[in-house]
Amino acid sequence: MKKYKILVACGAGIATSTVVCNRVENLVKDNNINAEVIQCKIAEVASKQSEADIIVSTTILPTTYQIPAIIATAYITGIGMESLDKKILDHLQ
C-alpha cells in the first residue's frame, strides 16, 4: 500500500494549518488511506514538494508547484467542507 505525503501549509505554519492538519489527518484515517500529514509554512513548500504528493494550503499560493495544490479555506470557514474532502480524496485514490 502506497504511503502518501500531504503538505499542509499556512502563512506561519502555526494557526490555520493546525486546524487543517487535524481535519486532513482525520480524513485520511477515516478513509483508510496510508498518509503522513506534514504541517509547514507556505514558504517551505517549494523545498518540500519533491517528497510530497499533494499540497493543502490555507493561504494564497505564491507560485505554481510540481504537485497538485488545493486551497483549504473551506476548512476554516466551515462552508463546502465535504466538497473539499472529496477533492483531496480524489487526488489520493
Side-chain angles (χ1 to χ4, degrees), residues 1-8 24-25 27-29 31-38 48-56 67-68 88-93:
M1 173 188 270
K2 178 178 175 159
K3 182 171 188 172
Y4 294 95
K5 285 196 178 182
I6 303 166
L7 297 179
V8 175
V24 173
E25 284 174 342
L27 178 67
V28 295
K29 181 181 173 190
N31 287 276
N32 297 315
I33 295 171
N34 187 13
E36 177 182 2
V37 182
I38 303 163
K48 294 179 181 270
Q49 68 178 324
S50 64
E51 60 193 51
D53 297 289
I54 188 171
I55 301 160
V56 180
I67 59 175
I88 292 170
L89 291 172
D90 286 347
H91 281 289
L92 300 175
Q93 295 176 334

Side-chain angles (χ1 to χ4, degrees), residues 39-60:
Q39 188 173 347
C40 62
K41 298 175 191 170
I42 194 67
E44 298 172 316
V45 170
S47 65
K48 294 179 181 270
Q49 68 178 324
S50 64
E51 60 193 51
D53 297 289
I54 188 171
I55 301 160
V56 180
S57 175
T58 64
T59 187
I60 295 170

Side-chain angles (χ1 to χ4, degrees), residues 6-20:
I6 303 166
L7 297 179
V8 175
C10 71
I14 300 168
T16 56
S17 62
T18 300
V19 172
V20 173

